[in-house]
Amino acid sequence: MCCLVVEIGIRQWELTGIPCKHVVATNWNMAANGSDVVPESWVDNSYRLSTWKEMYSFKIEPINGSMLWEKDNCPTTLVPPNHHKQVGRPKKKRRKTTEELSQRSGDNGKMSRKGKTVTCDKCKNKGHNSRTCKGQGGPSQDRA
């Protein structure tokens, strides 16, 4: 397991140039035990303070407005693509978080109707609802 973590860390080090915690610990241990290796030499040059200072040493002068921009020699005018309404129901604007999705089956959210039998509001019999009730009789038939 540890070797796998170290290999993943080394792969990340090769991709980003930033060493993982295992490499940093090894470098500091080597420096503490008298090795002549400087731990900072293991980091890529792009992450050094001297490189950052060199990159931002010059000054960029801003242009005051679009009237002072150079005119483009492009003969065509670039226009955005035509907008067309997408087919189907539009997506919700707000996506629910994982906490909200996990509360759906709890007290605050909607309960699932799966496995439940429907009860009619008119006749209080099970197996149909009030819309499909045919007046099959029951305790509250005289309601309407």
Side-chain angles (χ1 to χ4, degrees), residues 109-143:
K110 290 184 177 180
M111 298 284 288
S112 172
R113 292 177 60 182
K114 190 172 184 179
K116 304 279 184 185
T117 56
V118 181
T119 304
C120 177
D121 286 336
K122 292 181 182 177
C123 65
K124 302 295 183 201
N125 289 337
K126 294 187 183 262
H128 66 277
N129 58 17
S130 60
R131 209 169 98 201
T132 59
C133 183
K134 301 221 179 4
Q136 298 161 348
S140 61
Q141 187 69 23
D142 52 27
R143 214 194 288 180

mmCIF file of all heavy atoms in Angstrom, residues 109-143:
data_model
loop_
_atom_site.group_PDB
_atom_site.id
_atom_site.type_symbol
_atom_site.label_atom_id
_atom_site.label_comp_id
_atom_site.label_asym_id
_atom_site.label_seq_id
_atom_site.Cartn_x
_atom_site.Cartn_y
_atom_site.Cartn_z
ATOM 1 N N GLY A 109 -37.933 15.403 3.754
ATOM 2 C CA GLY A 109 -38.127 15.251 2.317
ATOM 3 C C GLY A 109 -39.366 14.442 1.994
ATOM 4 O O GLY A 109 -40.148 14.059 2.860
ATOM 5 N N LYS A 110 -39.564 14.193 0.716
ATOM 6 C CA LYS A 110 -40.705 13.405 0.281
ATOM 7 C C LYS A 110 -40.436 11.931 0.535
ATOM 8 O O LYS A 110 -39.329 11.450 0.344
ATOM 9 C CB LYS A 110 -40.970 13.630 -1.202
ATOM 10 C CG LYS A 110 -41.498 14.988 -1.521
ATOM 11 C CD LYS A 110 -41.807 15.061 -3.000
ATOM 12 C CE LYS A 110 -42.415 16.394 -3.349
ATOM 13 N NZ LYS A 110 -42.721 16.477 -4.768
ATOM 14 N N MET A 111 -41.446 11.231 0.932
ATOM 15 C CA MET A 111 -41.343 9.797 1.143
ATOM 16 C C MET A 111 -41.631 9.088 -0.179
ATOM 17 O O MET A 111 -42.383 9.582 -1.009
ATOM 18 C CB MET A 111 -42.348 9.336 2.196
ATOM 19 C CG MET A 111 -42.119 9.942 3.552
ATOM 20 S SD MET A 111 -40.745 9.217 4.404
ATOM 21 C CE MET A 111 -41.413 7.645 4.804
ATOM 22 N N SER A 112 -41.062 7.939 -0.349
ATOM 23 C CA SER A 112 -41.301 7.153 -1.546
ATOM 24 C C SER A 112 -42.661 6.469 -1.442
ATOM 25 O O SER A 112 -43.060 6.017 -0.368
ATOM 26 C CB SER A 112 -40.204 6.101 -1.688
ATOM 27 O OG SER A 112 -40.520 5.225 -2.736
ATOM 28 N N ARG A 113 -43.391 6.392 -2.550
ATOM 29 C CA ARG A 113 -44.696 5.734 -2.565
ATOM 30 C C ARG A 113 -44.584 4.287 -3.011
ATOM 31 O O ARG A 113 -45.598 3.602 -3.175
ATOM 32 C CB ARG A 113 -45.645 6.489 -3.486
ATOM 33 C CG ARG A 113 -46.003 7.859 -2.928
ATOM 34 C CD ARG A 113 -46.873 8.623 -3.856
ATOM 35 N NE ARG A 113 -48.125 7.914 -4.097
ATOM 36 C CZ ARG A 113 -49.072 8.354 -4.911
ATOM 37 N NH1 ARG A 113 -48.889 9.486 -5.555
ATOM 38 N NH2 ARG A 113 -50.163 7.674 -5.099
ATOM 39 N N LYS A 114 -43.388 3.831 -3.195
ATOM 40 C CA LYS A 114 -43.170 2.481 -3.678
ATOM 41 C C LYS A 114 -43.622 1.474 -2.617
ATOM 42 O O LYS A 114 -43.260 1.576 -1.445
ATOM 43 C CB LYS A 114 -41.696 2.283 -3.996
ATOM 44 C CG LYS A 114 -41.403 1.008 -4.721
ATOM 45 C CD LYS A 114 -39.956 0.977 -5.161
ATOM 46 C CE LYS A 114 -39.699 -0.265 -5.978
ATOM 47 N NZ LYS A 114 -38.332 -0.318 -6.442
ATOM 48 N N GLY A 115 -44.428 0.507 -3.019
ATOM 49 C CA GLY A 115 -44.910 -0.522 -2.102
ATOM 50 C C GLY A 115 -46.128 -0.120 -1.302
ATOM 51 O O GLY A 115 -46.625 -0.895 -0.488
ATOM 52 N N LYS A 116 -46.648 1.078 -1.501
ATOM 53 C CA LYS A 116 -47.827 1.548 -0.766
ATOM 54 C C LYS A 116 -49.074 1.323 -1.612
ATOM 55 O O LYS A 116 -49.028 1.397 -2.829
ATOM 56 C CB LYS A 116 -47.710 3.053 -0.460
ATOM 57 C CG LYS A 116 -46.469 3.445 0.293
ATOM 58 C CD LYS A 116 -46.639 3.174 1.739
ATOM 59 C CE LYS A 116 -45.387 3.668 2.481
ATOM 60 N NZ LYS A 116 -45.393 3.360 3.851
ATOM 61 N N THR A 117 -50.196 1.087 -0.955
ATOM 62 C CA THR A 117 -51.466 0.975 -1.677
ATOM 63 C C THR A 117 -52.185 2.304 -1.591
ATOM 64 O O THR A 117 -52.117 3.010 -0.589
ATOM 65 C CB THR A 117 -52.348 -0.133 -1.064
ATOM 66 O OG1 THR A 117 -52.531 0.138 0.317
ATOM 67 C CG2 THR A 117 -51.704 -1.493 -1.229
ATOM 68 N N VAL A 118 -52.905 2.639 -2.657
ATOM 69 C CA VAL A 118 -53.607 3.915 -2.745
ATOM 70 C C VAL A 118 -54.946 3.795 -2.023
ATOM 71 O O VAL A 118 -55.644 2.782 -2.142
ATOM 72 C CB VAL A 118 -53.822 4.292 -4.225
ATOM 73 C CG1 VAL A 118 -54.525 5.624 -4.360
ATOM 74 C CG2 VAL A 118 -52.500 4.337 -4.949
ATOM 75 N N THR A 119 -55.329 4.858 -1.282
ATOM 76 C CA THR A 119 -56.613 4.890 -0.583
ATOM 77 C C THR A 119 -57.455 6.005 -1.173
ATOM 78 O O THR A 119 -56.988 7.132 -1.355
ATOM 79 C CB THR A 119 -56.400 5.146 0.919
ATOM 80 O OG1 THR A 119 -55.514 4.152 1.428
ATOM 81 C CG2 THR A 119 -57.708 5.086 1.670
ATOM 82 N N CYS A 120 -58.725 5.723 -1.441
ATOM 83 C CA CYS A 120 -59.641 6.696 -2.012
ATOM 84 C C CYS A 120 -60.063 7.689 -0.937
ATOM 85 O O CYS A 120 -60.368 7.305 0.195
ATOM 86 C CB CYS A 120 -60.868 5.968 -2.571
ATOM 87 S SG CYS A 120 -62.121 7.090 -3.229
ATOM 88 N N ASP A 121 -60.118 8.986 -1.280
ATOM 89 C CA ASP A 121 -60.547 10.016 -0.339
ATOM 90 C C ASP A 121 -62.066 10.033 -0.175
ATOM 91 O O ASP A 121 -62.568 10.492 0.845
ATOM 92 C CB ASP A 121 -60.072 11.396 -0.802
ATOM 93 C CG ASP A 121 -58.575 11.574 -0.588
ATOM 94 O OD1 ASP A 121 -58.020 10.887 0.290
ATOM 95 O OD2 ASP A 121 -57.981 12.405 -1.299
ATOM 96 N N LYS A 122 -62.807 9.565 -1.155
ATOM 97 C CA LYS A 122 -64.271 9.598 -1.086
ATOM 98 C C LYS A 122 -64.830 8.450 -0.254
ATOM 99 O O LYS A 122 -65.597 8.660 0.673
ATOM 100 C CB LYS A 122 -64.882 9.546 -2.491
ATOM 101 C CG LYS A 122 -64.634 10.786 -3.309
ATOM 102 C CD LYS A 122 -65.296 10.654 -4.657
ATOM 103 C CE LYS A 122 -65.030 11.866 -5.530
ATOM 104 N NZ LYS A 122 -65.619 11.693 -6.858
ATOM 105 N N CYS A 123 -64.440 7.232 -0.622
ATOM 106 C CA CYS A 123 -65.051 6.078 0.046
ATOM 107 C C CYS A 123 -64.118 5.396 1.035
ATOM 108 O O CYS A 123 -64.526 4.454 1.713
ATOM 109 C CB CYS A 123 -65.551 5.080 -0.988
ATOM 110 S SG CYS A 123 -64.215 4.329 -1.953
ATOM 111 N N LYS A 124 -62.885 5.833 1.141
ATOM 112 C CA LYS A 124 -61.879 5.304 2.054
ATOM 113 C C LYS A 124 -61.527 3.847 1.793
ATOM 114 O O LYS A 124 -60.996 3.172 2.658
ATOM 115 C CB LYS A 124 -62.328 5.449 3.526
ATOM 116 C CG LYS A 124 -62.626 6.858 3.941
ATOM 117 C CD LYS A 124 -61.389 7.712 3.900
ATOM 118 C CE LYS A 124 -61.729 9.105 4.395
ATOM 119 N NZ LYS A 124 -60.791 10.083 3.965
ATOM 120 N N ASN A 125 -61.827 3.326 0.619
ATOM 121 C CA ASN A 125 -61.433 1.962 0.260
ATOM 122 C C ASN A 125 -60.061 1.989 -0.389
ATOM 123 O O ASN A 125 -59.660 2.978 -1.002
ATOM 124 C CB ASN A 125 -62.446 1.342 -0.710
ATOM 125 C CG ASN A 125 -63.747 1.026 -0.024
ATOM 126 O OD1 ASN A 125 -63.799 0.865 1.190
ATOM 127 N ND2 ASN A 125 -64.813 0.938 -0.801
ATOM 128 N N LYS A 126 -59.344 0.891 -0.275
ATOM 129 C CA LYS A 126 -58.009 0.797 -0.847
ATOM 130 C C LYS A 126 -58.088 0.217 -2.247
ATOM 131 O O LYS A 126 -59.004 -0.504 -2.583
ATOM 132 C CB LYS A 126 -57.115 -0.074 0.028
ATOM 133 C CG LYS A 126 -56.842 0.544 1.381
ATOM 134 C CD LYS A 126 -55.826 -0.270 2.148
ATOM 135 C CE LYS A 126 -55.623 0.323 3.512
ATOM 136 N NZ LYS A 126 -54.488 1.149 3.595
ATOM 137 N N GLY A 127 -57.095 0.556 -3.096
ATOM 138 C CA GLY A 127 -57.015 -0.008 -4.429
ATOM 139 C C GLY A 127 -57.340 0.970 -5.530
ATOM 140 O O GLY A 127 -57.102 0.688 -6.695
ATOM 141 N N HIS A 128 -57.943 2.110 -5.212
ATOM 142 C CA HIS A 128 -58.222 3.133 -6.223
ATOM 143 C C HIS A 128 -58.171 4.501 -5.547
ATOM 144 O O HIS A 128 -58.160 4.603 -4.334
ATOM 145 C CB HIS A 128 -59.585 2.890 -6.886
ATOM 146 C CG HIS A 128 -60.745 3.060 -5.959
ATOM 147 N ND1 HIS A 128 -61.175 2.060 -5.103
ATOM 148 C CD2 HIS A 128 -61.565 4.118 -5.753
ATOM 149 C CE1 HIS A 128 -62.205 2.498 -4.412
ATOM 150 N NE2 HIS A 128 -62.461 3.753 -4.790
ATOM 151 N N ASN A 129 -58.166 5.576 -6.379
ATOM 152 C CA ASN A 129 -58.160 6.924 -5.815
ATOM 153 C C ASN A 129 -59.506 7.589 -6.085
ATOM 154 O O ASN A 129 -60.400 7.002 -6.700
ATOM 155 C CB ASN A 129 -56.999 7.752 -6.388
ATOM 156 C CG ASN A 129 -57.022 7.867 -7.880
ATOM 157 O OD1 ASN A 129 -58.048 7.610 -8.505
ATOM 158 N ND2 ASN A 129 -55.895 8.263 -8.454
ATOM 159 N N SER A 130 -59.663 8.845 -5.636
ATOM 160 C CA SER A 130 -60.956 9.525 -5.747
ATOM 161 C C SER A 130 -61.327 9.822 -7.196
ATOM 162 O O SER A 130 -62.498 9.938 -7.532
ATOM 163 C CB SER A 130 -60.955 10.812 -4.927
ATOM 164 O OG SER A 130 -59.944 11.676 -5.397
ATOM 165 N N ARG A 131 -60.340 9.925 -8.071
ATOM 166 C CA ARG A 131 -60.617 10.219 -9.465
ATOM 167 C C ARG A 131 -61.242 9.026 -10.187
ATOM 168 O O ARG A 131 -62.054 9.194 -11.084
ATOM 169 C CB ARG A 131 -59.307 10.618 -10.154
ATOM 170 C CG ARG A 131 -59.518 11.555 -11.302
ATOM 171 C CD ARG A 131 -58.213 12.114 -11.770
ATOM 172 N NE ARG A 131 -57.790 11.336 -12.921
ATOM 173 C CZ ARG A 131 -56.559 11.244 -13.366
ATOM 174 N NH1 ARG A 131 -55.597 11.848 -12.739
ATOM 175 N NH2 ARG A 131 -56.269 10.537 -14.411
ATOM 176 N N THR A 132 -60.845 7.853 -9.773
ATOM 177 C CA THR A 132 -61.379 6.651 -10.422
ATOM 178 C C THR A 132 -62.440 5.959 -9.568
ATOM 179 O O THR A 132 -62.821 4.827 -9.844
ATOM 180 C CB THR A 132 -60.235 5.663 -10.714
ATOM 181 O OG1 THR A 132 -59.595 5.331 -9.481
ATOM 182 C CG2 THR A 132 -59.237 6.269 -11.678
ATOM 183 N N CYS A 133 -62.955 6.647 -8.546
ATOM 184 C CA CYS A 133 -63.946 6.051 -7.643
ATOM 185 C C CYS A 133 -65.276 5.895 -8.380
ATOM 186 O O CYS A 133 -65.759 6.819 -9.032
ATOM 187 C CB CYS A 133 -64.115 6.917 -6.410
ATOM 188 S SG CYS A 133 -65.254 6.228 -5.196
ATOM 189 N N LYS A 134 -65.897 4.738 -8.245
ATOM 190 C CA LYS A 134 -67.178 4.459 -8.892
ATOM 191 C C LYS A 134 -68.287 4.411 -7.858
ATOM 192 O O LYS A 134 -69.337 3.805 -8.099
ATOM 193 C CB LYS A 134 -67.085 3.128 -9.650
ATOM 194 C CG LYS A 134 -66.010 3.111 -10.699
ATOM 195 C CD LYS A 134 -66.481 2.438 -11.924
ATOM 196 C CE LYS A 134 -65.561 2.346 -13.079
ATOM 197 N NZ LYS A 134 -64.282 2.744 -13.125
ATOM 198 N N GLY A 135 -68.070 5.019 -6.714
ATOM 199 C CA GLY A 135 -69.089 5.032 -5.667
ATOM 200 C C GLY A 135 -69.326 3.650 -5.089
ATOM 201 O O GLY A 135 -70.447 3.184 -5.015
ATOM 202 N N GLN A 136 -68.272 2.992 -4.697
ATOM 203 C CA GLN A 136 -68.345 1.624 -4.233
ATOM 204 C C GLN A 136 -68.841 1.546 -2.792
ATOM 205 O O GLN A 136 -68.814 0.496 -2.176
ATOM 206 C CB GLN A 136 -66.990 0.951 -4.359
ATOM 207 C CG GLN A 136 -66.534 0.895 -5.812
ATOM 208 C CD GLN A 136 -65.047 0.670 -5.951
ATOM 209 O OE1 GLN A 136 -64.317 0.763 -4.998
ATOM 210 N NE2 GLN A 136 -64.619 0.363 -7.153
ATOM 211 N N GLY A 137 -69.261 2.651 -2.242
ATOM 212 C CA GLY A 137 -69.781 2.647 -0.868
ATOM 213 C C GLY A 137 -68.650 2.734 0.133
ATOM 214 O O GLY A 137 -67.510 2.439 -0.142
ATOM 215 N N GLY A 138 -68.954 3.178 1.295
ATOM 216 C CA GLY A 138 -67.960 3.312 2.342
ATOM 217 C C GLY A 138 -68.452 4.248 3.417
ATOM 218 O O GLY A 138 -69.582 4.761 3.347
ATOM 219 N N PRO A 139 -67.665 4.508 4.412
ATOM 220 C CA PRO A 139 -68.113 5.313 5.554
ATOM 221 C C PRO A 139 -68.399 6.757 5.223
ATOM 222 O O PRO A 139 -69.275 7.371 5.826
ATOM 223 C CB PRO A 139 -66.966 5.216 6.547
ATOM 224 C CG PRO A 139 -65.778 4.759 5.760
ATOM 225 C CD PRO A 139 -66.303 4.004 4.600
ATOM 226 N N SER A 140 -67.727 7.372 4.237
ATOM 227 C CA SER A 140 -67.937 8.801 3.966
ATOM 228 C C SER A 140 -68.536 9.012 2.583
ATOM 229 O O SER A 140 -68.144 9.919 1.867
ATOM 230 C CB SER A 140 -66.616 9.552 4.099
ATOM 231 O OG SER A 140 -65.693 9.054 3.169
ATOM 232 N N GLN A 141 -69.525 8.219 2.178
ATOM 233 C CA GLN A 141 -70.153 8.328 0.879
ATOM 234 C C GLN A 141 -71.024 9.577 0.807
ATOM 235 O O GLN A 141 -71.229 10.139 -0.249
ATOM 236 C CB GLN A 141 -71.021 7.085 0.618
ATOM 237 C CG GLN A 141 -71.601 7.003 -0.778
ATOM 238 C CD GLN A 141 -70.526 6.742 -1.821
ATOM 239 O OE1 GLN A 141 -69.476 6.221 -1.499
ATOM 240 N NE2 GLN A 141 -70.795 7.118 -3.042
ATOM 241 N N ASP A 142 -71.517 10.086 1.918
ATOM 242 C CA ASP A 142 -72.441 11.216 1.926
ATOM 243 C C ASP A 142 -71.728 12.563 1.951
ATOM 244 O O ASP A 142 -72.352 13.563 2.201
ATOM 245 C CB ASP A 142 -73.359 11.101 3.148
ATOM 246 C CG ASP A 142 -72.591 10.912 4.444
ATOM 247 O OD1 ASP A 142 -71.424 11.367 4.515
ATOM 248 O OD2 ASP A 142 -73.126 10.311 5.376
ATOM 249 N N ARG A 143 -70.444 12.610 1.697
ATOM 250 C CA ARG A 143 -69.655 13.838 1.806
ATOM 251 C C ARG A 143 -70.041 14.866 0.753
ATOM 252 O O ARG A 143 -70.204 16.044 1.056
ATOM 253 C CB ARG A 143 -68.181 13.514 1.662
ATOM 254 C CG ARG A 143 -67.356 14.439 2.534
ATOM 255 C CD ARG A 143 -65.911 14.397 2.208
ATOM 256 N NE ARG A 143 -65.282 13.148 2.631
ATOM 257 C CZ ARG A 143 -64.013 12.884 2.445
ATOM 258 N NH1 ARG A 143 -63.257 13.757 1.824
ATOM 259 N NH2 ARG A 143 -63.501 11.764 2.820
#
